Amino acid sequence: GFHLSGTVTEPATATEPEMTYKVAISFDRCKITSVTCGCGNKDIFYCAHVVALSLYRIRKPDQVKLRLPISETLFQMNRDQLQKFVQYLITAHHTEVLPTAQKLADEILSSNSEINQVHGAPDPTAGASIDDENCWHLDEEQVREQVKLFLSQGGYYGSGKQLNSMFAKVREMLRMRDSNGARMLTLITEQFMADPRLSLWRQQGTGITEKCRQLWDELGALWVCVVLNPHCKLEEKSCWLRQLRKWGEMDVCPLEDGNYGNELPNITNALTQSSSHSQDSLARPRRTVFTRAIEGCDLHWQDSHLQRIISSDFYVSPSYQREGESLLFNSQGQPLWLEHVPTACARVDALRSHGYPREALRLTVAIINTLRLQQQRQLEIYKHQKKELLQRGATTITNLEGWVGHPLNPIGCLFLTLTEACRLEEENCLEISDAGDSKPPVYQHVPVATGSQDSSESYLSLALEVALMGMGQQRVMPEGLYAQDKVCRNEEQIIARLQDLELDPVLVQTLRKQCILLLEGGPFSGLGEVIHRESVPMHTFAKYLFSALLPHDADLAYKLALRAMRLPVLETTAPSGDVTHPHHLVSVVPSRYPRWFTLGHLESQQCELASTMLTAAKGDMLRLRTVLEAIQKNIHSSSLIFKLAQDAFKIATPADSNSDTTLLNVALELGLQVMRMTLSTLNWRRREMVRWLVTCATEVGVRALVSILQSWYSLFTPTEATSIVAATVMSHNTILRLSLDYPQREELASCARTLALQCAMKDPQNCALSALTLCEKDHIAFETAYQIVIDAASTGMTYTQLFTIARYMEHRGYPLRAFKLASLAMTHLNLAYNQDTHPAINDVLWACALSHSLGKNELAAIIPLVVKSVHCATVLSDILRRCTMTAPGLAGIPGRRNSGKLMSTDKAPLRQLLDATISAYINTTHSRLTHISPRHYGEFIEFLSKARETFLLAQDGHIQFAQFIDNLKQIYKGKKKLMLLVRERFG
């Protein structure tokens, strides 16, 4: 009958033993309707054992014994044979069958049982009746489980890939005209709608994740495909429509354009739209991912013109045209299809997907002929308005809806339909190998089959033409992050496909012709002379065109790429009446969409285009100038201009050959522009930029260095100019790199010194030390720099800066100048009693040591300053101790006599320091005792011991100290434990 059973043996492997599986398959009218297999396979696809048994039956029909349905065989048996048959059957399977056999026997013997009400008995081998539904076996539960699992993984672990392969399976089923395609898509959609994340995203107001969004898009596009099946039954369509509406009305249903409303016209609108589409955006209906499929249910295939287009390659206009037929054919008599372009392309996708490739091709050719005619007509209209538009410097956009990034992917669909017809299939090659590295497809020219077409045309040249038309279409940037991101993604996908085409002379001719049309184009072209301010930029597309055209027509390539460099949304105003450069004009219409979410990406694409042109123009002075002007005019981001400067520098200085001076100069000029742009704004890469500029100028040569040193104030801050620029220019490495002669070295040094003095005047705080260092070798300059420091010391400098310069002076062999600066620094300093770890302590000790080494006079001059500024007892006692250890004046300043005697603490100037130290100890003691905790008692006793050492340096020090201790005991007698410790140590 209609039941196939068999055993399948799976041979042993290195790890698994040989296995045998029992397989049973039911079939009906050439379709497998159910399967079971002992392997317990859980997948939406048949297991290998089912496939093996099916193939065995198909390939060796004579080896499989064909038997009657089992009911027929039983009918031929008598009473005894039937009894024997049943008993043997039960014995063979008694463990599984016995309970069922007993139950059935009881029911048959009961006269009023259900089983006895029905005439006859079922037969699984007999096949279905002619009216029964018959479709391929699909394990619905398994489909649900798998989709649920993949969705729960949220796009991780390759689940997105798995879901995409399920979508591909649906497309494959549609192409085989398997009715399960729509069934499987329904099951997938139900699981998508039940995804718990949808309500979560909706509550939080966050967008659906990127990976998930793309899956929803594909789901929506597949439904459009399903409802546009040219041969589906009406009841099927109305059933789908009910489902789609039900899903679309659920509030968790994702919207077509991410989380934003949108102004896309209805799918069924024809091209002849009036301008009434600009109604209030609030009144716009909610468009979900299923809206296009719902609208697609209104489309039918009954139009006689459409039927003739898709059913014949040789459908041309009759020799005479009736009234109204002029819209159906072009002047060559080829049929046109005047439907809203994305809708017409959705029809092509449906034909292709449902296994009608010839019909899809015929409709594609009619759509392209229509697009060409529109392009031609719009060009003629534009020529009449050109003068006025150029003067206005603005344009309207004729395309309400962009084709690139459109939910129905119209351009991608036409391109695929055409290229599939030209694909050279290699022998036994799979689409993609396991590693995922698909070999690029190989195409050949296939002439367009038609009655009147120009014979030189091939489907391949049409594919290129329609991709260029679509990508070059001027369109307004859509609203919302998702829609904008999709524009970029779709553009990249189409370009990736274009790059698979080998450009032979035929395709180059198509490329040139279309590029010229796009350049001359009016409002329909994004590369036209005047574009709308909100127009989607053409940088990515132009980069492809530039590289493709360059070997064949360099002038056209540059013209096109330079035209595409603009980014009008960033321009604020249009130039006043500069009609000499019409492609620089931009509209002044205020922005309708204030948020361009992908602006960063678009700017980097603009930069890529500029970089591509710079690379190509290396060595061509004229072209480089033009590209440089375009960059300076159109790129507004300093970091991108810096990137271009770096790119140009890299290309200009290859490791293995000489530098290219033309491109080096461009790099330098761009670098200078970046310096000017970022001079007054904060930029975290500024130091890197400054260092790079000096490197670049060094490569260009000594004149460039002189120039940046002379005009430093328009490029650098004083600090940058002295510490980075001049310091690098004067370094040993630079001198060696440039192999300069003496006059050149002197010229550079003189410029650096002038710069140093100018910077020191402007910002002494930060530049004085660098200025002194840069002027070391020139006496006059050095003196001038020193004078600038002295003048600024009293007002504009901190003690840290002054101490640093003072130490530098000592190191250079100017101890008296160092002393003067250290004295000035002391007047700015104030150390409180408890700042015994202050960073300036070392400077103070150094300043005192310096004064002491110079002699008694200098020490006498600095001690009053120390006493005034330092109130920290331990620091003062340290200074005092150091001054009493050696005789002053050991530095041996020429012309000075030294007594060589140690100084006494009884006489000036040390007497003043001793008194100050003792009083500092007294004050600090009282301050510490006001809030002391028991755990600090030990430390405090040590502090008093140090104080005693200082007291004892005075003549009556021991008496003073004893009085001091008595005083403490009296005042702080409440702190009994502490005073006990004081008594123990000091009596």
Side-chain angles (χ1 to χ4, degrees):
F2 295 88
H3 190 86
L4 176 67
S5 51
T7 52
V8 177
T9 305
E10 199 166 300
T13 64
T15 50
E16 299 287 325
E18 180 180 281
M19 298 291 278
T20 305
Y21 300 105
K22 286 191 164 59
V23 182
I25 299 174
S26 300
F27 50 91
D28 181 10
R29 282 161 273 185
C30 301
K31 297 184 180 77
I32 292 174
T33 53
S34 76
V35 301
T36 51
C37 176
C39 74
N41 166 56
K42 285 270 173 266
D43 200 347
I44 59 171
F45 307 123
Y46 299 152
C47 65
H49 317 111
V50 169
V51 175
L53 183 63
S54 309
L55 289 174
Y56 186 79
R57 166 66 183 79
I58 292 164
R59 289 173 182 166
K60 302 186 177 174
D62 47 343
Q63 305 264 329
V64 179
K65 195 159 185 194
L66 184 60
R67 299 173 183 280
L68 289 170
I70 195 79
S71 51
E72 297 286 327
T73 312
L74 295 173
F75 187 66
Q76 292 166 14
M77 294 183 188
N78 64 23
R79 166 81 183 67
D80 290 348
Q81 287 171 315
L82 280 170
Q83 173 118 17
K84 200 171 204 174
F85 173 77
V86 173
Q87 282 182 242
Y88 267 98
L89 182 63
I90 291 171
T91 307
H93 300 288
H94 67 275
T95 51
E96 301 117 86
V97 170
L98 200 55
T100 312
Q102 187 61 60
K103 182 167 164 274
L104 288 173
D106 292 348
E107 285 189 13
I108 286 170
L109 291 173
S110 160
S111 58
N112 58 353
S113 69
E114 203 175 316
I115 211 167
N116 284 327
Q117 313 300 315
V118 182
H119 182 69
D123 177 2
T125 65
S129 94
I130 191 77
D131 307 324
D132 284 359
E133 273 290 300
N134 67 322
C135 57
W136 284 87
H137 168 70
L138 178 71
D139 187 341
E140 299 198 353
E141 195 40 49
Q142 210 33 56
V143 173
R144 287 193 193 97
E145 283 306 308
Q146 291 224 314
V147 177
K148 200 173 184 172
L149 172 71
F150 294 145
L151 282 173
S152 70
Q153 292 171 347
Y156 302 105
Y157 320 111
S159 58
K161 228 186 199 153
Q162 302 283 359
L163 287 165
N164 273 320
S165 78
M166 288 179 94
F167 288 147
K169 189 75 190 163
V170 172
R171 281 197 182 270
E172 190 187 322
M173 290 160 121
L174 297 180
R175 197 160 56 247
M176 308 305 288
R177 307 191 194 157
D178 172 354
S179 58
N180 273 337
R183 227 170 107 215
M184 180 154 157
L185 188 59
T186 304
L187 295 169
I188 293 174
T189 310
E190 280 168 352
Q191 291 307 312
F192 265 71
M193 288 302 294
D195 187 345
R197 292 176 300 168
L198 287 180
S199 53
L200 200 71
W201 284 325
R202 193 169 173 274
Q203 284 161 11
Q204 294 169 345
T206 52
I208 299 180
T209 59
E210 185 58 36
K211 281 181 176 147
C212 212
R213 236 347 308 190
Q214 292 173 25
L215 293 167
W216 274 103
D217 279 356
E218 177 62 7
L219 194 67
L222 267 174
W223 272 115
V224 174
C225 230
V226 168
V227 302
L228 281 179
N229 178 352
H231 293 291
C232 72
K233 302 188 189 79
L234 263 174
E235 56 269 24
E236 277 184 307
K237 200 183 253 194
S238 55
C239 169
W240 294 330
L241 183 58
R242 276 198 306 278
Q243 273 183 337
L244 289 164
R245 283 200 171 127
K246 188 186 84 190
W247 291 325
E249 282 160 9
M250 291 168 72
D251 52 5
V252 291
C253 186
L255 301 182
E256 181 172 73
D257 54 350
N259 306 332
Y260 295 81
N262 103 18
E263 282 179 34
L264 299 184
N266 183 303
I267 189 170
T268 47
N269 285 6
L271 279 165
T272 52
Q273 286 156 345
S274 65
S275 57
S276 64
H277 67 270
S278 57
Q279 75 268 41
D280 182 13
S281 60
L282 293 173
R284 288 193 310 228
R286 173 173 173 266
R287 295 185 64 86
T288 72
V289 285
F290 301 117
T291 303
R292 287 180 189 272
I294 292 169
E295 291 167 357
C297 291
D298 296 340
L299 297 172
H300 60 80
W301 296 83
Q302 273 71 57
D303 183 278
S304 60
H305 181 56
L306 176 62
Q307 283 299 327
R308 288 194 195 111
I309 291 174
I310 62 178
S311 55
S312 162
D313 285 328
F314 303 104
Y315 173 43
V316 291
S317 66
S319 47
Y320 62 92
Q321 285 196 349
R322 285 192 296 280
E323 192 54 46
E325 273 191 352
S326 59
L327 280 175
L328 303 183
F329 302 93
N330 65 14
S331 55
Q332 289 91 47
Q334 300 156 334
L336 304 173
W337 182 240
L338 285 161
E339 191 173 29
H340 170 241
V341 177
T343 309
C345 296
R347 286 187 190 274
V348 172
D349 193 27
L351 288 168
R352 209 176 113 248
S353 302
H354 289 284
Y356 302 99
R358 299 298 316 160
E359 289 81 350
L361 264 179
R362 290 170 187 145
L363 183 54
T364 298
V365 174
I367 293 171
I368 290 175
N369 282 328
T370 312
L371 291 176
R372 284 171 167 170
L373 187 66
Q374 282 177 354
Q375 202 180 36
Q376 220 36 60
R377 282 187 185 164
Q378 288 189 325
L379 197 56
E380 281 157 24
I381 295 168
Y382 172 62
K383 280 178 179 158
H384 289 261
Q385 307 171 329
K386 188 170 177 178
K387 197 169 173 208
E388 178 208 344
L389 278 175
L390 286 178
Q391 277 170 339
R392 271 224 321 267
T395 171
T396 53
I397 285 191
T398 50
N399 312 308
L400 303 175
E401 200 171 23
W403 300 331
V404 173
H406 189 282
L408 297 174
N409 189 13
I411 299 302
C413 158
L414 297 184
F415 185 82
L416 271 179
T417 308
L418 290 161
T419 49
E420 272 174 9
C422 303
R423 216 171 158 153
L424 265 179
E425 287 304 338
E426 289 179 39
E427 283 306 301
N428 60 33
C429 90
L430 286 170
E431 280 281 301
I432 294 187
S433 67
D434 292 341
D437 49 349
S438 54
K439 289 213 317 234
V442 182
Y443 299 111
Q444 60 182 353
H445 283 286
V446 176
V448 174
T450 167
S452 67
Q453 197 102 11
D454 164 8
S455 60
S456 73
E457 281 204 324
S458 79
Y459 291 122
L460 201 56
S461 61
L462 286 187
L464 176 62
E465 183 178 347
V466 79
L468 299 179
M469 258 188 202
M471 300 269 285
Q473 176 210 34
Q474 185 182 183
R475 50 202 183 267
V476 165
M477 179 62 83
E479 283 185 72
L481 167 62
Y482 180 68
Q484 293 179 13
D485 191 49
K486 203 157 145 189
V487 169
C488 302
R489 260 207 327 277
N490 194 202
E491 193 171 35
E492 280 156 14
Q493 287 160 354
I494 297 171
I495 287 174
R497 294 231 166 92
L498 283 174
Q499 282 165 336
D500 287 340
L501 302 181
E502 282 283 325
L503 292 181
D504 58 13
V506 178
L507 293 182
V508 169
Q509 193 185 348
T510 307
L511 179 71
R512 288 193 57 202
K513 185 176 157 197
Q514 197 56 39
C515 285
I516 291 165
L517 273 172
L518 286 170
L519 279 172
E520 289 175 355
F524 71 85
S525 163
L527 291 162
E529 292 183 88
V530 191
I531 55 167
H532 190 278
R533 184 172 185 273
E534 295 288 340
S535 200
V536 171
M538 294 277 138
H539 308 127
T540 315
F541 179 41
K543 186 179 148 195
Y544 161 75
L545 293 176
F546 178 79
S547 304
L549 273 172
L550 197 62
H552 311 289
D553 186 341
D555 286 343
L556 184 58
Y558 277 102
K559 187 176 180 190
L560 207 140
L562 289 164
R563 167 88 49 97
M565 271 295 288
R566 61 201 168 182
L567 185 48
V569 78
L570 292 181
E571 308 292 342
T572 40
T573 53
S576 48
D578 173 17
V579 193
T580 49
H581 294 53
H583 63 275
H584 288 158
L585 294 184
V586 270
S587 113
V588 218
V589 187
S591 173
R592 214 165 31 114
Y593 306 126
R595 303 204 61 182
W596 280 41
F597 294 94
T598 50
L599 195 56
H601 171 75
L602 297 171
E603 284 191 282
S604 68
Q605 289 302 305
Q606 182 189 31
C607 176
E608 286 286 309
L609 173 62
S611 183
T612 308
M613 283 197 280
L614 282 176
T615 310
K618 178 178 176 178
D620 184 333
M621 196 61 222
L622 218 64
R623 290 231 197 270
L624 278 174
R625 268 289 129 210
T626 328
V627 177
L628 180 65
E629 278 169 25
I631 291 169
Q632 289 172 328
K633 176 165 183 41
N634 293 300
I635 298 187
H636 303 281
S637 151
S638 56
S639 55
L640 289 176
I641 296 179
F642 182 49
K643 184 188 177 301
L644 281 174
Q646 288 175 303
D647 287 354
F649 182 75
K650 253 190 216 114
I651 304 156
T653 53
D656 48 2
S657 62
N658 292 337
S659 298
D660 179 90
T661 47
T662 53
L663 198 48
L664 255 181
N665 279 305
V666 168
L668 180 65
E669 203 159 325
L670 289 171
L672 294 170
Q673 187 183 344
V674 173
M675 288 296 107
R676 287 189 284 270
M677 285 170 87
T678 55
L679 178 59
S680 52
T681 56
L682 286 172
N683 189 310
W684 61 276
R685 295 184 65 190
R686 177 75 190 176
R687 279 185 80 80
E688 177 198 351
M689 291 169 168
V690 174
R691 286 182 196 287
W692 178 87
L693 186 84
V694 178
T695 310
C696 180
T698 308
E699 278 300 316
V700 175
V702 70
R703 299 296 352 129
L705 287 176
V706 167
S707 166
I708 65 168
L709 290 173
Q710 286 175 342
S711 55
W712 70 268
Y713 43 85
S714 65
L715 304 169
F716 314 109
T717 64
T719 317
E720 291 167 345
T722 51
S723 64
I724 306 177
V725 183
T728 313
V729 171
M730 294 313 295
S731 72
H732 188 58
N733 285 351
T734 309
I735 308 290
L736 282 181
R737 177 86 192 83
L738 292 169
S739 52
L740 303 177
D741 57 21
Y742 182 73
Q744 286 174 319
R745 282 210 299 268
E746 268 315 291
E747 183 186 13
L748 263 188
S750 159
C751 288
R753 287 194 292 267
T754 308
L755 171 149
L757 295 173
Q758 289 170 341
C759 293
M761 287 291 284
K762 202 171 169 65
D763 182 5
Q765 278 196 322
N766 297 308
C767 301
L769 185 59
S770 305
L772 287 164
T773 315
L774 287 164
C775 296
E776 276 170 4
K777 293 189 173 134
D778 182 289
H779 178 69
I780 296 170
F782 188 78
E783 289 304 313
T784 313
Y786 173 67
Q787 202 46 54
I788 292 170
V789 176
I790 296 296
D791 294 346
S794 55
T795 51
M797 297 183 77
T798 66
Y799 60 82
T800 316
Q801 289 160 339
L802 289 168
F803 275 132
T804 309
I805 298 170
R807 290 192 163 199
Y808 161 82
M809 280 295 181
E810 188 202 27
H811 178 68
R812 299 273 310 135
Y814 294 105
L816 289 168
R817 287 184 174 185
F819 167 74
K820 183 168 186 181
L821 287 165
S823 305
L824 286 167
M826 287 301 297
T827 60
H828 293 266
L829 181 68
N830 186 20
L831 277 186
Y833 76 91
N834 55 355
Q835 288 183 297
D836 50 0
T837 56
H838 194 283
I841 290 172
N842 278 334
D843 290 319
V844 174
L845 293 174
W846 168 81
C848 293
L850 172 72
S851 314
H852 184 262
S853 72
L854 289 174
K856 203 170 173 179
N857 297 344
E858 281 76 12
L859 191 60
I862 208 156
I863 279 175
L865 299 176
V866 171
V867 168
K868 195 173 176 191
S869 303
V870 180
H871 309 289
C872 180
T874 49
V875 178
L876 289 169
S877 65
D878 199 2
I879 298 169
L880 187 62
R881 189 177 53 79
R882 290 171 188 229
C883 289
T884 53
M885 277 162 60
T886 54
L890 293 182
I893 299 290
R896 287 205 186 173
R897 280 178 58 245
N898 246 337
S899 65
K901 281 198 321 217
L902 290 177
M903 292 171 77
S904 158
T905 50
D906 290 341
K907 297 194 184 112
L910 291 190
R911 180 66 207 235
Q912 192 186 353
L913 182 58
L914 176 61
D915 291 347
T917 310
I918 289 173
S919 78
Y921 269 117
I922 293 169
N923 292 338
T924 307
T925 303
H926 288 302
S927 297
R928 286 179 77 164
L929 281 172
T930 50
H931 39 74
I932 190 167
S933 67
R935 59 199 175 97
H936 290 124
Y937 285 176
E939 199 187 311
F940 177 72
I941 297 297
E942 290 310 312
F943 174 75
L944 284 183
S945 303
K946 274 198 171 152
R948 181 167 60 182
E949 287 169 20
T950 304
F951 273 83
L952 294 180
L953 290 173
Q955 271 189 340
D956 55 350
H958 59 287
I959 301 167
Q960 261 184 308
F961 187 70
Q963 278 173 346
F964 172 51
I965 293 293
D966 287 345
N967 212 356
L968 288 184
K969 287 183 214 163
Q970 198 54 42
I971 300 171
Y972 302 102
K973 57 177 180 259
K975 299 186 190 293
K976 290 192 173 67
K977 193 176 176 194
L978 178 59
M979 290 308 124
L980 191 71
L981 292 172
V982 170
R983 261 191 215 93
E984 274 176 19
R985 175 70 72 93
F986 305 109

